[in-house]
């Protein structure tokens, strides 16, 4: 399942890009934290990253090329109320943070790391995946829709600057 080679061939003027998808290892910590700081205003302590990795290694995935970190996704498995269908508690995979370096965007890397992470969620027997996203984050919302996530609710003022979040959810097989 891991260590596969993602590849996108030349298409128009898009450059060929090869990258390796694999599970996070502690040695990736500084590069992942740097990518997080470059790409998102929501940043975390090193303990937060390491704790998520120790608890849920199968859903913490990185994309790298020749030792250069291109992107990451990290998730948490939680028990919560079903966002769809009948009520009751279900196991859910929560996408906590995902980012791809600006110079390598729009080459399928986010799609690849999410898909690997969704496999990890299924390994943990999660029945749904969900995440919060800024309502103005059009690239991310388009990405999640392409992967079958649907907007299930809006949380007013979710972010520290007051912006609202959509909660987006996808059923897992
Ligand atoms: N505009 C429109 N659609 C887009 C865009 C965009 N800028 N970017 C991605 N998409 C959609 C498209 O449907 C795309 O498929 P296509 O290229 O065949 O049309 C599909 O998503 C897959 O795109 P990827 O190439 O896999 O996405 P990328 O590797 O560029 O990463 C990401 C997308 C992660 C949103 C990136 O733009 C990024 O890091 N943004 C800053 C950080 C961020 O916003 N992270 C998400 C926050 S929410 C959270 O973490 C839970
Ligand atoms: Zn969240």
């Amino acid at each position: 399942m891991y260590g596969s080679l993602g590849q996108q061939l030349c298409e128009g003027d898009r450059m060929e890009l090869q990258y390796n998808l694999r599970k996070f290892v502690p040695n990736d910590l500084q590069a992942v934290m740097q990518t997080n700081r470059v790409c998102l205003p929501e940043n975390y302590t090193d303990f937060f990253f390491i704790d998520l990795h120790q608890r849920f290694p199968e859903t913490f995935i990185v994309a790298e090329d020749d030792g250069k970190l291109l992107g990451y996704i990290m998730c948490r498995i939680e028990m919560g109320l079903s966002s769809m269908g009948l009520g009751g508690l279900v196991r859910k995979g929560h996408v906590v943070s995902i980012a791809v370096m600006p110079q390598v965007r729009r080459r399928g890397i986010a799609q690849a790391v999410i898909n690997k992470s969704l496999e990890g969620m299924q390994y943990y027997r999660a029945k749904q995946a969900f995440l919060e996203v800024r309502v103005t984050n059009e690239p991310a919302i388009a990405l999640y829709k392409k992967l079958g996530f649907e907007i299930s609710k809006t949380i007013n003022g979710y972010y520290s600057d007051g912006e609202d979040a959509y909660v987006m959810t996808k059923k897992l097989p």
Side-chain angles (χ1 to χ4, degrees), residues 17 31 34-40 68-72 98-109 139:
L17 181 74
Q34 174 64 12
T35 301
N36 170 247
R37 280 192 296 265
V38 167
C39 298
L40 283 166
K68 266 195 16 235
L69 196 101
L70 305 179
Y72 71 88
I98 173 174
V100 171
M101 288 297 279
Q103 60 274 22
V104 291
R105 286 185 188 161
R106 221 56 202 270
R107 288 160 163 86
I109 294 176

Side-chain angles (χ1 to χ4, degrees), residues 44 76 78 94-97 130-133 158-159:
Y44 316 94
R76 179 161 63 213
E78 301 170 359
H94 180 171
V95 179
V96 174
S97 185
F130 78 100
L131 52 85
E132 301 91 11
V133 59
Y158 177 77
Y159 293 96

Side-chain angles (χ1 to χ4, degrees), residues 44 69 86 88 121 124-125 140 154 158:
Y44 316 94
L69 196 101
L86 298 171
M121 289 178 189
Y124 293 124
R125 292 175 287 112
T154 304
Y158 177 77

Side-chain angles (χ1 to χ4, degrees), residues 54-122:
Q54 284 180 346
R55 292 159 65 204
F56 310 110
E58 302 293 331
T59 50
F60 199 153
I61 306 297
V62 300
E64 52 114 344
D65 174 29
D66 203 14
K68 266 195 16 235
L69 196 101
L70 305 179
Y72 71 88
I73 183 170
M74 63 174 180
C75 307
R76 179 161 63 213
I77 306 296
E78 301 170 359
M79 295 299 291
L81 289 174
S82 171
S83 319
M84 47 189 61
L86 298 171
L89 285 181
V90 294
R91 198 184 298 273
K92 298 179 174 189
H94 180 171
V95 179
V96 174
S97 185
I98 173 174
V100 171
M101 288 297 279
Q103 60 274 22
V104 291
R105 286 185 188 161
R106 221 56 202 270
R107 288 160 163 86
I109 294 176
Q111 208 169 285
V113 295
I114 295 185
N115 280 330
K116 274 279 177 249
S117 192
L118 293 176
E119 289 176 20
M121 289 178 189
Q122 288 174 253

Side-chain angles (χ1 to χ4, degrees), residues 8-16:
Q8 169 144 12
L9 296 172
C10 294
E11 182 194 299
D13 57 1
R14 284 192 186 188
M15 280 192 356
E16 180 171 341

